[in-house]
Amino acid sequence: MNDPRSLQIDLLPSLDGDVCEELAVLAQRCISGYSDDRPVSTSLVRSRLTNALTGTPPVLAVARDGRQVAGWCAVRRPEPGEVRARLWGPIVEPSARRAGLGRRLLQTVVEAAEWPLVTTDVPVDRDGATDFFTRSGWEVLDTITVLHGTPSTGGPSAVTAADITGLEAYVAAAARRFAGLESSFATSTLPRWRDDARFSAKTLLLDPPTGSLLLALVQRNATGSELLLAEVWAADAEIRGRLIAQAHTLAAERQVATVRAVTRQDPADFVASGMRVTGRCRTFILPGKR
Protein backbone atom coordinates (compact mmCIF):
# COMPACT_ATOMS: atom_id res chain seq x y z
CA MET A 1 0.00 0.00 0.00
CA ASN A 2 1.11 3.58 -0.70
CA ASP A 3 1.86 5.83 2.25
CA PRO A 4 -1.60 6.49 3.84
CA ARG A 5 -0.50 10.05 4.59
CA SER A 6 -0.34 10.75 0.86
CA LEU A 7 -3.72 9.27 -0.10
CA GLN A 8 -6.22 11.72 -1.50
CA ILE A 9 -9.61 12.03 0.20
CA ASP A 10 -12.62 12.81 -1.95
CA LEU A 11 -16.15 13.82 -0.97
CA LEU A 12 -18.52 11.76 -3.12
CA PRO A 13 -21.76 13.42 -4.29
CA SER A 14 -23.79 10.20 -4.49
CA LEU A 15 -23.97 6.66 -3.17
CA ASP A 16 -24.13 4.12 -6.01
CA GLY A 17 -24.22 0.33 -5.74
CA ASP A 18 -20.53 -0.23 -6.45
CA VAL A 19 -19.50 2.25 -3.76
CA CYS A 20 -21.90 0.67 -1.24
CA GLU A 21 -20.38 -2.74 -1.88
CA GLU A 22 -16.84 -1.41 -1.39
CA LEU A 23 -17.84 0.30 1.86
CA ALA A 24 -19.59 -2.85 3.11
CA VAL A 25 -16.60 -5.11 2.37
CA LEU A 26 -14.18 -2.86 4.23
CA ALA A 27 -16.58 -2.37 7.15
CA GLN A 28 -17.05 -6.13 7.54
CA ARG A 29 -13.31 -6.70 7.57
CA CYS A 30 -12.76 -4.00 10.18
CA ILE A 31 -15.42 -5.14 12.70
CA SER A 32 -14.64 -8.86 12.48
CA GLY A 33 -13.89 -10.31 15.90
CA TYR A 34 -15.10 -7.32 17.93
CA SER A 35 -18.23 -6.97 20.05
CA ASP A 36 -20.04 -5.10 17.26
CA ASP A 37 -19.28 -7.85 14.71
CA ARG A 38 -22.40 -8.43 12.61
CA PRO A 39 -23.32 -9.14 9.00
CA VAL A 40 -22.75 -6.07 6.81
CA SER A 41 -24.27 -6.03 3.33
CA THR A 42 -24.43 -3.58 0.44
CA SER A 43 -28.16 -3.00 1.03
CA LEU A 44 -27.56 -2.35 4.74
CA VAL A 45 -24.91 0.30 4.00
CA ARG A 46 -27.18 2.03 1.49
CA SER A 47 -30.19 2.09 3.82
CA ARG A 48 -28.25 3.21 6.89
CA LEU A 49 -26.39 6.07 5.16
CA THR A 50 -29.24 7.40 3.01
CA ASN A 51 -31.99 9.47 4.60
CA ALA A 52 -35.15 7.41 4.98
CA LEU A 53 -37.69 10.19 4.54
CA THR A 54 -35.97 12.35 1.92
CA GLY A 55 -33.67 9.94 0.10
CA THR A 56 -30.78 12.39 0.50
CA PRO A 57 -27.30 10.82 0.23
CA PRO A 58 -24.76 11.17 3.05
CA VAL A 59 -21.75 13.40 3.37
CA LEU A 60 -19.24 10.72 2.35
CA ALA A 61 -15.44 10.93 2.38
CA VAL A 62 -13.48 8.13 0.70
CA ALA A 63 -9.73 7.53 0.47
CA ARG A 64 -8.43 5.20 -2.25
CA ASP A 65 -5.12 3.45 -2.76
CA GLY A 66 -5.31 3.09 -6.51
CA ARG A 67 -8.72 1.55 -7.15
CA GLN A 68 -9.10 0.05 -3.68
CA VAL A 69 -10.91 1.84 -0.85
CA ALA A 70 -8.45 2.35 2.00
CA GLY A 71 -10.84 4.21 4.30
CA TRP A 72 -14.15 6.00 4.52
CA CYS A 73 -16.24 8.13 6.83
CA ALA A 74 -19.82 9.29 6.41
CA VAL A 75 -22.46 11.51 8.00
CA ARG A 76 -26.10 10.58 7.51
CA ARG A 77 -27.95 13.85 7.40
CA PRO A 78 -30.62 14.37 10.09
CA GLU A 79 -34.17 13.41 9.23
CA PRO A 80 -36.91 16.04 9.67
CA GLY A 81 -37.40 16.25 13.44
CA GLU A 82 -33.93 14.87 14.34
CA VAL A 83 -31.55 17.07 16.30
CA ARG A 84 -28.27 15.42 15.31
CA ALA A 85 -26.71 13.88 12.23
CA ARG A 86 -25.19 10.42 12.59
CA LEU A 87 -21.48 9.81 12.04
CA TRP A 88 -20.37 6.44 10.60
CA GLY A 89 -16.67 5.67 10.85
CA PRO A 90 -13.98 6.49 10.20
CA ILE A 91 -13.31 2.98 8.91
CA VAL A 92 -9.72 2.40 7.83
CA GLU A 93 -8.00 -0.57 6.21
CA PRO A 94 -5.90 -2.24 8.96
CA SER A 95 -2.66 -1.89 6.99
CA ALA A 96 -3.29 1.88 6.64
CA ARG A 97 -3.84 2.64 10.33
CA ARG A 98 -1.66 4.65 12.69
CA ALA A 99 -0.75 7.09 9.92
CA GLY A 100 -3.40 9.77 10.45
CA LEU A 101 -5.81 8.65 7.72
CA GLY A 102 -8.71 8.17 10.14
CA ARG A 103 -8.15 11.64 11.58
CA ARG A 104 -8.10 13.17 8.09
CA LEU A 105 -11.30 11.36 7.08
CA LEU A 106 -13.04 12.49 10.26
CA GLN A 107 -11.90 16.08 9.81
CA THR A 108 -13.13 16.09 6.20
CA VAL A 109 -16.70 15.12 7.04
CA VAL A 110 -16.87 17.25 10.20
CA GLU A 111 -15.89 20.32 8.19
CA ALA A 112 -18.47 19.46 5.51
CA ALA A 113 -21.32 18.75 7.96
CA GLU A 114 -23.64 21.56 8.97
CA TRP A 115 -25.30 19.84 11.93
CA PRO A 116 -24.58 18.65 15.47
CA LEU A 117 -23.07 15.17 15.26
CA VAL A 118 -23.32 11.92 17.21
CA THR A 119 -21.34 8.78 16.46
CA THR A 120 -22.69 5.31 15.91
CA ASP A 121 -21.77 2.77 18.60
CA VAL A 122 -17.99 2.62 19.19
CA PRO A 123 -16.91 -0.66 20.85
CA VAL A 124 -14.82 -0.31 23.99
CA ASP A 125 -12.95 -3.53 23.08
CA ARG A 126 -11.75 -2.26 19.70
CA ASP A 127 -8.16 -1.22 20.23
CA GLY A 128 -7.81 2.54 20.28
CA ALA A 129 -11.31 3.30 18.96
CA THR A 130 -12.72 5.17 21.96
CA ASP A 131 -9.36 6.85 22.60
CA PHE A 132 -9.38 8.07 19.00
CA PHE A 133 -12.54 10.10 19.58
CA THR A 134 -11.39 11.34 22.98
CA ARG A 135 -8.09 12.53 21.51
CA SER A 136 -10.03 14.18 18.68
CA GLY A 137 -11.96 16.28 21.19
CA TRP A 138 -15.23 14.35 21.28
CA GLU A 139 -17.15 13.66 24.51
CA VAL A 140 -18.97 10.51 25.67
CA LEU A 141 -22.72 10.86 25.29
CA ASP A 142 -23.94 7.38 26.21
CA THR A 143 -22.89 3.82 27.02
CA ILE A 144 -24.54 0.87 25.27
CA THR A 145 -24.60 -2.77 26.34
CA VAL A 146 -24.27 -5.46 23.68
CA LEU A 147 -25.79 -8.90 24.36
CA HIS A 148 -25.97 -12.18 22.46
CA GLY A 149 -28.39 -15.08 22.71
CA THR A 150 -29.18 -18.36 21.00
CA PRO A 151 -32.31 -18.95 18.91
CA SER A 152 -34.73 -21.28 20.69
CA THR A 153 -37.48 -23.60 19.51
CA GLY A 154 -40.79 -24.35 21.15
CA GLY A 155 -41.17 -20.95 22.76
CA PRO A 156 -44.14 -18.61 22.76
CA SER A 157 -45.57 -17.45 19.44
CA ALA A 158 -46.07 -13.76 18.75
CA VAL A 159 -48.42 -11.32 17.13
CA THR A 160 -46.54 -9.52 14.36
CA ALA A 161 -47.11 -6.34 12.41
CA ALA A 162 -48.22 -8.49 9.48
CA ASP A 163 -51.26 -9.55 11.53
CA ILE A 164 -52.85 -6.16 12.19
CA THR A 165 -54.17 -3.05 10.45
CA GLY A 166 -53.45 0.52 11.52
CA LEU A 167 -49.76 -0.26 12.06
CA GLU A 168 -48.48 3.27 11.54
CA ALA A 169 -50.74 4.63 14.30
CA TYR A 170 -49.79 1.72 16.59
CA VAL A 171 -46.05 2.40 16.20
CA ALA A 172 -46.49 6.16 16.56
CA ALA A 173 -48.43 5.69 19.80
CA ALA A 174 -45.72 3.37 21.16
CA ALA A 175 -43.02 5.86 20.15
CA ARG A 176 -44.77 8.64 22.06
CA ARG A 177 -45.63 6.56 25.10
CA PHE A 178 -42.54 4.43 25.62
CA ALA A 179 -39.73 6.30 23.82
CA GLY A 180 -40.95 9.81 24.60
CA LEU A 181 -40.67 10.95 20.98
CA GLU A 182 -42.21 14.25 19.97
CA SER A 183 -45.49 13.76 18.11
CA SER A 184 -44.42 14.62 14.53
CA PHE A 185 -41.22 12.55 14.81
CA ALA A 186 -43.15 9.66 16.38
CA THR A 187 -45.48 9.68 13.37
CA SER A 188 -42.53 9.17 11.03
CA THR A 189 -41.12 6.23 13.04
CA LEU A 190 -42.59 3.44 10.91
CA PRO A 191 -41.58 5.04 7.57
CA ARG A 192 -38.02 5.38 8.92
CA TRP A 193 -37.98 1.76 10.07
CA ARG A 194 -39.35 0.55 6.73
CA ASP A 195 -36.43 2.18 4.92
CA ASP A 196 -33.98 -0.09 6.78
CA ALA A 197 -33.00 -2.94 4.45
CA ARG A 198 -33.45 -5.37 7.35
CA PHE A 199 -37.04 -4.40 8.17
CA SER A 200 -39.94 -6.82 7.76
CA ALA A 201 -43.45 -6.59 9.19
CA LYS A 202 -43.08 -10.27 10.10
CA THR A 203 -40.28 -9.47 12.56
CA LEU A 204 -41.97 -6.52 14.26
CA LEU A 205 -43.51 -8.16 17.34
CA LEU A 206 -46.54 -6.60 19.04
CA ASP A 207 -48.50 -6.87 22.27
CA PRO A 208 -51.80 -5.21 21.24
CA PRO A 209 -53.46 -5.17 24.71
CA THR A 210 -50.71 -2.88 26.03
CA GLY A 211 -49.48 -1.23 22.81
CA SER A 212 -46.00 -2.66 23.37
CA LEU A 213 -43.62 -3.77 20.61
CA LEU A 214 -40.24 -5.29 19.82
CA LEU A 215 -38.46 -4.31 16.61
CA ALA A 216 -36.35 -7.24 15.36
CA LEU A 217 -34.23 -7.01 12.21
CA VAL A 218 -32.85 -9.96 10.25
CA GLN A 219 -29.51 -9.48 8.52
CA ARG A 220 -27.57 -11.97 6.41
CA ASN A 221 -24.51 -11.92 4.22
CA ALA A 222 -21.84 -14.38 3.14
CA THR A 223 -20.23 -14.40 6.60
CA GLY A 224 -23.20 -14.88 8.92
CA SER A 225 -26.73 -14.06 10.02
CA GLU A 226 -28.43 -12.56 13.05
CA LEU A 227 -31.67 -11.27 14.50
CA LEU A 228 -31.04 -7.86 16.03
CA LEU A 229 -33.36 -6.75 18.83
CA ALA A 230 -33.19 -3.08 17.95
CA GLU A 231 -35.99 -1.63 20.11
CA VAL A 232 -38.10 -3.03 22.96
CA TRP A 233 -40.89 -0.65 23.97
CA ALA A 234 -42.99 -2.31 26.63
CA ALA A 235 -45.39 -1.44 29.41
CA ASP A 236 -43.61 -3.49 32.09
CA ALA A 237 -40.85 -6.04 32.71
CA GLU A 238 -43.17 -9.03 32.25
CA ILE A 239 -44.16 -7.93 28.76
CA ARG A 240 -40.56 -7.06 27.86
CA GLY A 241 -39.50 -10.55 28.89
CA ARG A 242 -42.29 -12.16 26.88
CA LEU A 243 -41.42 -10.17 23.76
CA ILE A 244 -37.73 -11.04 24.10
CA ALA A 245 -38.59 -14.75 24.46
CA GLN A 246 -40.84 -14.53 21.41
CA ALA A 247 -37.98 -12.97 19.46
CA HIS A 248 -35.72 -15.94 20.25
CA THR A 249 -38.40 -18.28 18.91
CA LEU A 250 -38.68 -16.09 15.82
CA ALA A 251 -34.90 -16.33 15.35
CA ALA A 252 -35.13 -20.12 15.23
CA GLU A 253 -37.98 -19.92 12.72
CA ARG A 254 -35.91 -17.56 10.57
CA GLN A 255 -32.89 -19.87 10.84
CA VAL A 256 -30.43 -17.21 11.85
CA ALA A 257 -27.22 -18.02 13.70
CA THR A 258 -27.55 -15.68 16.67
CA VAL A 259 -29.69 -13.12 18.46
CA ARG A 260 -28.07 -9.77 19.26
CA ALA A 261 -29.40 -6.91 21.36
CA VAL A 262 -28.14 -3.40 22.02
CA THR A 263 -29.57 -1.33 24.84
CA ARG A 264 -28.89 1.93 26.65
CA GLN A 265 -31.04 0.78 29.56
CA ASP A 266 -30.47 -1.77 32.29
CA PRO A 267 -29.88 -5.06 30.42
CA ALA A 268 -31.45 -7.15 33.22
CA ASP A 269 -34.52 -8.11 31.17
CA PHE A 270 -32.31 -9.48 28.39
CA VAL A 271 -30.08 -11.34 30.83
CA ALA A 272 -33.16 -12.81 32.53
CA SER A 273 -34.18 -14.17 29.11
CA GLY A 274 -30.89 -16.06 28.80
CA MET A 275 -28.85 -13.51 26.85
CA ARG A 276 -25.28 -12.77 27.87
CA VAL A 277 -23.41 -9.48 27.91
CA THR A 278 -20.65 -9.59 25.27
CA GLY A 279 -19.44 -6.01 25.15
CA ARG A 280 -19.93 -2.31 25.75
CA CYS A 281 -20.03 0.54 23.26
CA ARG A 282 -20.00 4.29 23.63
CA THR A 283 -21.44 7.06 21.54
CA PHE A 284 -19.70 10.41 21.29
CA ILE A 285 -20.73 13.97 20.49
CA LEU A 286 -18.60 16.82 19.22
CA PRO A 287 -18.65 19.82 21.57
CA GLY A 288 -19.52 23.03 19.80
CA LYS A 289 -21.70 21.21 17.25
CA ARG A 290 -24.66 20.54 19.52
Side-chain angles (χ1 to χ4, degrees):
M1 173 174 283
N2 294 320
D3 186 345
R5 292 169 293 188
S6 67
L7 297 181
Q8 180 176 326
I9 296 174
D10 296 312
L11 285 168
L12 302 189
S14 62
L15 192 64
D16 63 37
D18 290 341
V19 170
C20 287
E21 183 174 2
E22 292 177 302
L23 303 186
V25 168
L26 180 56
Q28 187 73 78
R29 187 158 62 246
C30 290
I31 67 174
S32 179
Y34 294 103
S35 59
D36 65 336
D37 193 352
R38 59 199 184 276
V40 180
S41 67
T42 300
S43 60
L44 177 63
V45 168
R46 178 184 294 280
S47 69
R48 292 299 78 211
L49 297 186
T50 304
N51 282 69
L53 302 181
T54 66
T56 310
V59 176
L60 173 61
V62 175
R64 291 186 181 275
D65 182 25
R67 298 181 63 182
Q68 181 177 350
V69 173
W72 64 272
C73 190
V75 171
R76 188 184 70 199
R77 303 166 194 264
E79 302 283 4
E82 280 188 310
V83 175
R84 298 186 177 97
R86 178 74 68 168
L87 176 80
W88 299 76
I91 296 171
V92 176
E93 174 69 41
S95 61
R97 292 174 186 166
R98 311 292 183 185
L101 181 56
R103 178 184 52 79
R104 291 172 55 214
L105 286 163
L106 179 62
Q107 182 178 358
T108 299
V109 297
V110 167
E111 291 177 352
E114 306 170 4
W115 321 276
L117 300 174
V118 59
T119 67
T120 52
D121 301 346
V122 180
V124 173
D125 65 333
R126 186 184 297 161
D127 184 35
T130 56
D131 288 343
F132 169 83
F133 282 101
T134 301
R135 291 195 308 271
S136 299
W138 293 61
E139 296 178 351
V140 175
L141 173 66
D142 218 339
T143 299
I144 296 96
T145 303
V146 183
L147 304 99
H148 281 79
T150 303
S152 59
T153 58
S157 59
V159 175
T160 75
D163 302 322
I164 71 165
T165 58
L167 180 60
E168 198 154 332
Y170 185 107
V171 172
R176 288 191 295 268
R177 178 182 175 189
F178 300 118
L181 298 186
E182 182 270 330
S183 185
S184 62
F185 195 54
T187 301
S188 69
T189 298
L190 185 60
R192 287 185 284 109
W193 286 357
R194 281 177 168 153
D195 192 69
D196 191 317
R198 300 165 293 181
F199 179 84
S200 168
K202 294 180 180 179
T203 61
L204 176 53
L205 310 185
L206 310 177
D207 185 68
T210 64
S212 303
L213 64 79
L214 184 152
L215 173 64
L217 304 169
V218 175
Q219 176 63 17
R220 307 177 194 271
N221 69 3
T223 66
S225 61
E226 70 167 20
L227 183 75
L228 170 65
L229 311 188
E231 300 285 358
V232 187
W233 295 345
D236 57 42
E238 179 183 355
I239 295 168
R240 283 175 63 87
R242 183 165 70 247
L243 287 169
I244 293 168
Q246 290 169 344
H248 282 71
T249 302
L250 178 66
E253 294 171 355
R254 292 279 167 160
Q255 298 182 321
V256 298
T258 189
V259 180
R260 183 168 65 96
V262 291
T263 182
R264 288 170 172 76
Q265 301 172 341
D266 187 337
D269 292 334
F270 295 97
V271 173
S273 298
M275 302 188 74
R276 65 190 185 283
V277 175
T278 56
R280 310 279 184 193
C281 297
R282 295 193 177 109
T283 57
F284 293 81
I285 57 172
L286 185 60
K289 280 214 171 191
R290 293 175 182 264

